[in-house]
Amino acid sequence: MSKFSQFMKANKIEKKNACYAVTKSLCDKDGNPLNWEFQHITSKENETLRDECIIEVPITGKPHQYRQKLQSGKYIQKMIVASIVVPNLFDEELQDSYGVKKPEDLLMAMVDDPGEYNELAVFVQQFQGFDLSFEEKVNEAKN
């Protein structure tokens, strides 16, 4: 038996999906908000999402020098989209019903209340294992 047997993949706990009622504006026939289903993303998927949201910003007073900046709103939006299983934000029929062509645009059309969107962002970040929201960490780092 390997000295690392406890670390083998067979011993890893499977992360379960979760349901959350994202918006009060999409309800069932009884008026109850619809539950959306969310899945966990991997660390590798998360890094890919972050990399897609990094831009180079010129440093003031230093020609030809740049620093990296994370577009936090775009990153959180991509994390939310990657987490959602139901509804399928990539479904063309669903996109067409809202007059959009991208999953991120569909998300924003479906959750068009800023307060609900903010609560969704907090839920997804906590669901993905972030104790503090990314924006809270940014603000914490600034102070």
Side-chain angles (χ1 to χ4, degrees), residues 65-78:
Q65 291 189 14
Y66 298 87
R67 65 177 174 82
Q68 291 186 335
K69 179 182 177 190
L70 178 67
Q71 298 170 296
S72 59
K74 182 178 178 181
Y75 166 60
I76 291 168
Q77 185 181 59
K78 285 184 171 288

Side-chain angles (χ1 to χ4, degrees), residues 4 10 16-17 23 34 40 74 83 93 115 124 135-136:
F4 298 111
K16 302 213 182 298
N17 289 1
T23 179
L34 297 173
H40 287 277
K74 182 178 178 181
S83 302
E93 183 180 0
V124 169
E135 290 173 0
E136 288 172 329

